[in-house]
Amino acid sequence: MRMVLSQASRSTRSLLLILTVSLIGGLTAHAQDVTGAFSANTRPAYKEELTGVWEMTFQRFTHPVEDDPQMTARYQVFSFGEDGVFKNITATRRVSNEDRETFLAIMPENTHWEMPKDGLLVIRRSQLDADGVQAFVVTQGFTDELLSGSPALKRGDVVLIYQDKYGNPYLRRYLRLMPLEQ
């Protein structure tokens, strides 16, 4: 019995290692083509820059998605804690400062984030469930030419680019740092 558990544990660790290497390798090998105004006005984000509470100002999917309220909610708040805890609030209306503070205080701390390298954000819900996301910081205000109708990005905003398992981008999100309460 002990030998079977030991083998299962090794198999799980091996699988986790393979998934992590695939995730990082896939995102690196199939990096989003960031040309034109986007590449001229952004750079890969650093971990220190993501720490904080961000409001999503815009999102666009490249193809229709299932009606998943967590993914498609118009109003979202992302919290990247210094301790590596990640929290995401989704809502049907703009989240007030009071509600934001209440929700962030009571939400479980079971999802974590890390940046194994600049520009690569990994959001991990469990050892075997993680998303790899390209993260860029806007260095100079501009309008993203790839997304017609998108609002102008301001210096300091963050652009998250989500990719499918084949490295194809399927979602862009614009985030703006929320001011601290006075």
Side-chain angles (χ1 to χ4, degrees), residues 78-103:
F78 297 82
S79 173
F80 298 93
E82 287 181 12
D83 57 359
V85 172
F86 173 79
K87 296 179 181 182
N88 178 214
I89 300 170
T90 59
T92 56
R93 63 177 174 76
R94 177 164 260 117
V95 179
S96 71
N97 289 340
E98 184 178 318
D99 287 344
R100 179 188 74 212
E101 295 307 316
T102 300
F103 283 120

Side-chain angles (χ1 to χ4, degrees), residues 57-132:
T57 60
F58 178 78
Q59 73 176 345
R60 170 94 33 97
F61 291 87
T62 59
H63 52 77
V65 296
E66 293 178 28
D67 187 20
D68 178 357
Q70 289 261 220
M71 282 294 285
T72 60
R74 168 65 186 98
Y75 299 101
Q76 296 192 41
V77 174
F78 297 82
S79 173
F80 298 93
E82 287 181 12
D83 57 359
V85 172
F86 173 79
K87 296 179 181 182
N88 178 214
I89 300 170
T90 59
T92 56
R93 63 177 174 76
R94 177 164 260 117
V95 179
S96 71
N97 289 340
E98 184 178 318
D99 287 344
R100 179 188 74 212
E101 295 307 316
T102 300
F103 283 120
L104 290 176
I106 64 173
M107 290 178 76
E109 298 183 356
N110 55 354
T111 301
H112 293 84
W113 72 284
E114 60 188 66
M115 291 191 75
K117 68 180 203 170
D118 294 343
L120 176 60
L121 167 65
V122 177
I123 300 172
R124 188 175 311 282
R125 289 171 289 285
S126 72
Q127 284 189 342
L128 299 176
D129 184 12
D131 290 326

Side-chain angles (χ1 to χ4, degrees), residues 111-172:
T111 301
H112 293 84
W113 72 284
E114 60 188 66
M115 291 191 75
K117 68 180 203 170
D118 294 343
L120 176 60
L121 167 65
V122 177
I123 300 172
R124 188 175 311 282
R125 289 171 289 285
S126 72
Q127 284 189 342
L128 299 176
D129 184 12
D131 290 326
V133 181
Q134 290 183 343
F136 296 90
V137 169
V138 176
T139 56
Q140 177 174 299
F142 76 105
T143 300
D144 190 343
E145 65 210 22
L146 292 177
L147 301 176
S148 61
S150 64
L153 289 157
K154 295 181 180 180
R155 183 180 181 173
D157 286 352
V158 168
V159 178
L160 300 180
I161 301 175
Y162 294 72
Q163 297 175 317
D164 63 21
K165 63 183 177 183
Y166 304 107
N168 301 314
Y170 70 89
L171 169 63
R172 279 191 188 213

